Amino acid sequence: MTAVAKVVVDVPTMQTDRPFDYAIPATLEGAIQPGMRVWVGFGRGQRQVAGMVVGVESTSAFAGDLKPILAVLDYAPVLSQAGLALSKWLADTTFAFWITCIQTMLPTMLKVDTVKTVTLGTHPTQEAQALLAGASSVPVADLPEAAVARLVQQNALSLRYEAKDRAKVKTADYVVPADLDFAAEAAKLRANAAKQRELLTLLAHWRENGEEPAVASIQAVTRPQLVAAAKRGWLTLEAREVYRAPYELLDHQAHTKPLALTPEQAQVTSTITAAVTAQQASTFLLEGVTGSGKTEVYLQVMAAALAAGRTAMMLVPEIALTPQMVRRVKGRFGAAVAVMHSGLSDGEKFDEWRRIQRGEAQVVVGARSAAFAPLQNIGVFIIDEEHESSYKQDDAPRYHARDVILHRAAEAHAPVVLGSATPSLESRARAAKNVYQRLVLPHRINQHPLPPVHIVDMRQAYQQGGQGDFSKPLLDALQLRLERHEQSVLMLNRRGYSSFVMCRECGFVVQCPNCDISLTLHMDSHSLRCHYCGHEEPIPTRCPSCGSKKIRYYGTGTQKVEQALHELLPTARVLRMDVDTTRRKGGHERILNAFGAGQADILLGTQMIAKGLDFPNVTLVGVINADNGLSMPDFRAAERTFQLLTQVAGRAGRANKAGEVVIQTFNPDHYAIQFAQNHDYEGFFAQEMAIRHRGDYPPYYYTIKLTVSHPDESQAAKAIYSMSRELTAALSPAAIVLGPSPSAIARLKNRYFYQLVVKYKREPKLDETLTRLLDETQKSTRDGFFVAIDREPQSFL
Ligand code: ADP
Ligand code: ZN
Ligand code: ZN
């Protein structure tokens, strides 16, 4: 009896979003396990597609003849049983296709590409033969496309889709000395063959010591000389698998010792450690002011998990603050640490992933997608800065890393630590209901005070001697730091805001031709770009609308502020950290290292400098414009602003020197700014909860956003209204539906977007109804519909 494999195919549509049965051919009997990728024929024409085996059974309920599995891509599962179960759970909770979830969990290197190739067709011509130049098949990408299209139409060439596995193991060449009498070989050489003599001496030495050195590590002879020696039979060159080590330099760093904990830290640590030891899946909300030593708590809790023979997983919000955090974790756990984040190359990610999968790493540190790392036997999960919105993915699958971690922790019987100085309202509210256990670190290490915060009212800044974007108090404070040889951090809040180009004569703003949004100015490339569709055009010198030359740049960019700083404080050394200066790999790290080494007086940046930085010589934090985000029509605007200001203020005065914070704002009386001034998270929480309660917002309600788009506006509108009617019929009267309405950006990439938001407390039929609606509209994808369902969206915009 042949066995049957259940395969989820790489065809992401609603109709194909389930396992299909395939026969396991006799040649592959026993070789196929769940979690392996295979090639199968699919659909009409049996197109070759990749798929994931999600189960192996002895019989099939399918009536017809089963098609066979064509080949295996993996010789060992790339997803464990637990990983497969997690992918299914992810698909169910985020309304995403199962195959999309599977791909999200695997490194990019394991994704399968299709490569278009051409072979000789049924009516070959000379031209076609010339293009192939003797090869049996050639990738279309290597050929002139127009000619290929023409020849394919004439059947002179035939087009093929070849799927290509992207997984590439990196290898390096090693020297294996041959079993020879090297002295005798040397005697045969001519007198002037000094290099060869030297190599023979080395080979004799290596063989004696059992050494097989990497070619790259050999300095005395060159690679061509080694290749020549291999031809003579003196040695063999062997390609061996190596890992690309993203943080190689750090591996050689001295190990740090655990610090003696303060009594507050010790109490918190022992509470969490007890749960680690008892294998309890409790969730702790660690609410610790900035500089209270949360990181040391994380490190010691992770150490406790390792000591108990288990592993530890730690999530950090984004690449910008990983260098310092990675250094601290690597400094403590050395080579046991695997790092996963978007700043690594695909190859590096793949290597780290394999180290984790093989059980060679006991600690994983990474950003959002590291929540899926194939770490096993996890003893504790940590989410640093748990309030950060980057933990939520915007695209399908629209998951929140916190939910993934809580799910895994329950399965693993391991505690979760959610750490923040400014917890999300959701998490803090859960702690209030004892769903999470709240732990508090109310003081900074060594009783360092939290820095005093001065609010500067920018409405009066000019009269009081300010210059441009700088008020007098901020300039004075910066000047004082220069005199004292202390450092400053300056933040330009760019949330909900970008620089654009406007005509002073007619008010024309340059817009994207494909989207209802103004183009963003990029000074580095001297162009205007659309952040949504990628459209790019040169900066106009004349207004495209009225022809006037009075076209100007608006908005305070970091470059403009940097320029102003050079004029106002000519002696100050300024480092700028923004998307433009950090685009290159390792950019963040380079800038932060330079700042840490005292090579600059001022670190100027966007909100990417607000979090995680721990520099003892920073005694001043300045915020140039606190209120950009406040004016956004977003129910989380106040929360985001409060979090940002509190976090950035926390960069000042972390060591023995007292710190100070200057916040410039046009809204000095806004409660988010007032509570941030007093470092009063609990006060902010109470007031914001009252506001959310009045407005029926989260965390009092769950929310779900449904978006429909179509190239034809009336089609999109019709679809959302019909969905709204069906949804309303299925919901209880307690649910609130906002909309339907056009989305905040009503047109993107020439598609029209309509949306609705459901606010609800308990709606047993909601998920089922949404799945049905998705199903129905998917049938009409051919008509150009696109539907997205976002559970707990970051904003309603
Ligand atoms: P948080 O993450 O809460 O903002 P950190 O973990 O960065 O705070 O700690 C702030 C500073 O205090 C760091 O420089 C850290 O090395 C130091 N620190 C933490 N715990 C201790 C301790 N127990 N003894 C001495 N220094 C400590
Ligand atoms: Zn666009
Ligand atoms: Zn104009």
Side-chain angles (χ1 to χ4, degrees):
M1 186 176 54
T2 56
V4 175
K6 306 244 159 215
V7 178
V8 179
V9 292
D10 187 6
V11 182
T13 68
M14 204 74 197
Q15 290 88 335
T16 54
D17 191 27
R18 62 177 176 86
F20 288 85
D21 287 0
Y22 283 89
I24 299 178
T27 48
L28 293 173
E29 197 100 48
I32 292 190
Q33 297 167 37
M36 284 183 181
R37 297 169 309 149
V38 291
W39 291 122
V40 293
F42 191 76
R44 256 185 295 157
Q46 291 288 296
R47 182 163 63 93
Q48 182 175 324
V49 299
M52 171 63 76
V53 178
V54 297
V56 173
E57 288 170 13
S58 54
T59 56
S60 170
F62 183 68
D65 263 352
L66 287 186
K67 296 277 190 265
I69 284 182
L70 302 176
V72 286
L73 271 121
D74 302 305
Y75 300 111
V78 291
L79 270 184
S80 63
Q81 287 284 1
L84 282 174
L86 183 61
S87 70
K88 183 76 179 83
W89 170 85
L90 189 63
D92 291 343
T93 53
T94 64
F95 301 96
F97 301 126
W98 194 356
I99 191 70
T100 308
C101 295
I102 288 171
Q103 284 167 344
T104 300
M105 292 176 59
L106 293 174
T108 320
M109 291 283 273
L110 285 178
K111 273 183 205 142
V112 175
D113 284 337
T114 350
V115 181
K116 265 194 285 189
T117 60
V118 281
T119 56
L120 223 45
T122 48
H123 296 81
T125 58
Q126 263 185 358
E127 192 189 354
Q129 268 156 348
L131 276 181
L132 293 181
S136 65
S137 84
V138 174
V140 173
D142 298 342
L143 299 173
E145 195 165 16
V148 169
R150 184 166 42 80
L151 291 168
V152 167
Q153 276 163 17
Q154 297 165 6
N155 291 324
L157 288 175
S158 125
L159 189 63
R160 280 211 316 223
Y161 290 91
E162 277 177 24
K164 194 167 156 190
D165 192 0
R166 241 191 296 195
K168 286 227 179 53
V169 165
K170 189 182 174 192
T171 59
D173 286 335
Y174 286 78
V175 173
V176 182
D179 196 10
L180 272 184
D181 183 349
F182 291 118
E185 288 291 321
K188 289 189 231 159
L189 289 173
R190 275 180 295 152
N192 58 355
K195 265 290 161 207
Q196 294 178 0
R197 218 176 294 278
E198 188 179 352
L199 176 56
L200 286 170
T201 314
L202 279 173
L203 284 165
H205 168 78
W206 289 331
R207 204 183 52 207
E208 203 167 306
N209 297 318
E211 278 177 48
E212 295 176 354
V215 169
S217 72
I218 302 169
Q219 250 123 65
V221 278
T222 63
R223 176 180 280 271
Q225 286 164 342
L226 289 169
V227 173
K231 285 204 186 112
R232 301 179 72 151
W234 292 356
L235 56 94
T236 48
L237 289 174
E238 219 174 87
R240 288 183 196 159
E241 191 180 335
V242 293
Y243 292 133
R244 283 151 278 225
Y247 286 85
E248 205 157 20
L249 292 176
L250 293 174
D251 286 339
H252 305 295
Q253 186 172 280
H255 274 214
T256 60
K257 295 245 157 27
L259 300 174
L261 297 177
T262 64
E264 282 176 356
Q265 280 175 317
Q267 169 122 47
V268 163
T269 306
S270 72
T271 307
I272 303 168
T273 306
V276 174
T277 320
Q279 309 205 349
Q280 265 167 14
S282 359
T283 304
F284 298 97
L285 178 64
L286 177 56
E287 190 180 317
V289 298
T290 55
S292 57
K294 292 186 287 295
T295 309
E296 189 61 31
V297 172
Y298 302 151
L299 293 175
Q300 300 210 8
V301 166
M302 290 196 278
L306 299 200
R310 308 188 84 193
T311 62
M313 175 177 281
M314 174 172 184
L315 297 193
V316 293
E318 51 200 306
I319 167 141
L321 66 93
T322 33
Q324 273 204 332
M325 191 55 102
V326 167
R327 190 168 300 123
R328 283 159 94 169
V329 178
K330 275 240 164 186
R332 191 65 56 87
F333 302 109
V337 181
V339 184
M340 299 201 92
H341 66 60
S342 55
L344 304 183
S345 71
D346 286 349
E348 288 169 342
K349 273 190 225 163
F350 180 49
D351 287 354
E352 290 295 81
W353 182 87
R354 281 186 306 148
R355 283 182 59 217
I356 300 165
Q357 210 212 12
R358 293 175 178 182
E360 293 168 14
Q362 287 78 48
V363 176
V364 170
V365 188
R368 180 176 66 223
S369 63
F372 300 115
L375 190 66
Q376 293 182 26
N377 189 25
I378 304 176
V380 68
F381 295 84
I382 287 160
I383 306 185
D384 188 30
E385 312 284 7
E386 70 88 32
H387 61 277
E388 277 293 319
S389 57
S390 64
Y391 284 126
K392 176 76 193 287
Q393 176 153 303
D394 281 339
D395 304 320
R398 297 181 174 79
Y399 68 94
H400 197 298
R402 194 200 294 130
D403 298 332
V404 176
I405 293 293
L406 289 174
H407 180 76
R408 284 188 79 167
E411 309 269 299
H413 303 287
V416 178
V417 182
L418 305 174
S420 178
T422 53
S424 63
L425 254 67
E426 283 85 349
S427 293
R428 179 64 186 81
R430 265 173 219 160
K433 287 185 155 182
N434 292 320
V435 181
Y436 299 162
Q437 188 178 338
R438 181 164 168 257
L439 303 171
V440 190
L441 292 174
H443 305 107
R444 280 191 155 181
I445 289 295
N446 296 334
Q447 308 302 315
H448 294 144
L450 283 160
V453 179
H454 308 292
I455 304 288
V456 179
D457 185 350
M458 287 305 275
R459 292 169 303 190
Q460 280 143 38
Y462 250 152
Q463 294 90 297
Q464 288 160 1
Q467 303 193 50
D469 293 318
F470 289 89
S471 65
K472 190 158 190 311
L474 182 53
L475 271 179
D476 289 348
L478 285 166
Q479 184 66 51
L480 187 63
R481 287 342 181 264
L482 288 177
E483 283 158 20
R484 288 203 214 140
H485 301 289
E486 293 171 356
Q487 290 178 300
S488 306
V489 166
L490 260 186
M491 184 180 77
L492 184 68
N493 179 7
R494 314 231 330 157
R495 213 179 107 70
Y497 160 95
S498 58
S499 337
F500 56 98
V501 169
M502 187 169 98
C503 172
R504 289 268 276 250
E505 294 274 340
C506 74
F508 179 83
V509 173
V510 184
Q511 298 259 327
C512 174
N514 311 318
C515 311
D516 283 346
I517 198 148
S518 50
L519 293 175
T520 303
L521 181 67
H522 283 260
M523 282 313 278
D524 56 339
S525 56
H526 287 278
S527 64
L528 295 172
R529 244 180 268 162
C530 173
H531 284 191
Y532 291 91
C533 73
H535 170 85
E536 186 167 358
E537 58 183 71
I539 302 169
T541 47
R542 279 176 180 276
C543 170
S545 173
C546 74
S548 156
K549 279 190 172 171
K550 287 198 175 152
I551 189 140
R552 293 280 183 280
Y553 312 150
Y554 281 84
T556 307
T558 37
Q559 281 163 324
K560 195 173 145 213
V561 173
E562 185 183 19
Q563 194 60 43
L565 273 175
H566 285 314
E567 282 158 26
L568 296 168
L569 303 168
T571 60
R573 296 164 303 161
V574 181
L575 270 173
R576 178 162 63 88
M577 187 154 150
D578 57 22
V579 283
D580 289 335
T581 60
T582 56
R583 195 166 294 140
R584 286 232 313 280
K585 199 179 161 206
H588 297 94
E589 199 166 7
R590 238 185 338 270
I591 294 172
L592 294 179
N593 285 346
F595 190 61
Q599 291 165 21
D601 306 299
I602 299 172
L603 176 65
L604 165 69
T606 52
Q607 35 285 44
M608 64 174 73
I609 61 169
K611 292 154 285 189
L613 307 185
D614 185 32
F615 293 116
N617 202 32
V618 171
T619 59
L620 173 69
V621 164
V623 179
I624 292 172
N625 52 347
D627 11 44
N628 263 316
L630 274 181
S631 54
M632 287 180 68
D634 170 7
F635 74 92
R636 282 188 230 267
E639 182 183 6
R640 296 269 180 256
T641 302
F642 173 80
Q643 286 164 345
L644 182 62
L645 295 179
T646 307
Q647 294 291 340
V648 74
R651 302 312 110 207
R654 292 168 72 84
N656 295 320
K657 298 174 186 167
E660 180 191 3
V661 181
V662 177
I663 294 179
Q664 302 188 150
T665 172
F666 289 94
N667 294 288
D669 302 323
H670 193 286
Y671 67 98
I673 290 176
Q674 295 275 323
F675 283 115
Q677 176 174 30
N678 299 317
H679 305 282
D680 185 4
Y681 172 79
E682 287 297 316
F684 175 79
F685 172 70
Q687 174 144 355
E688 185 67 12
M689 282 297 273
I691 292 169
R692 299 283 180 94
H693 187 63
R694 256 181 276 139
D696 295 333
Y697 282 115
Y700 290 97
Y701 277 81
Y702 297 114
T703 57
I704 214 156
K705 182 163 85 173
L706 180 67
T707 309
V708 178
S709 75
H710 193 277
D712 176 353
E713 180 163 17
S714 62
Q715 291 272 15
K718 232 168 86 187
I720 193 92
Y721 276 98
S722 118
M723 289 172 121
S724 170
R725 275 191 301 276
E726 283 202 49
L727 205 51
T728 315
L731 293 172
S732 77
I736 303 167
V737 179
L738 304 178
S741 61
S743 298
I745 301 169
R747 187 179 58 123
L748 259 187
K749 303 180 194 179
N750 284 321
R751 299 182 68 91
Y752 291 86
F753 285 74
Y754 277 78
Q755 65 173 46
L756 63 82
V757 172
V758 184
K759 301 199 277 189
Y760 65 100
K761 291 195 167 163
R762 222 186 70 83
E763 293 296 335
K765 282 199 276 179
L766 179 60
D767 280 25
E768 170 194 317
T769 311
L770 285 170
T771 306
R772 186 164 49 79
L773 289 176
L774 255 186
D775 232 333
E776 282 165 14
T777 39
Q778 260 287 314
K779 291 199 183 103
S780 42
T781 26
R782 244 167 290 130
D783 308 333
F785 279 108
F786 172 79
V787 181
I789 297 177
D790 192 358
R791 201 186 281 282
E792 299 305 320
Q794 285 299 304
S795 88
F796 293 171
L797 294 180

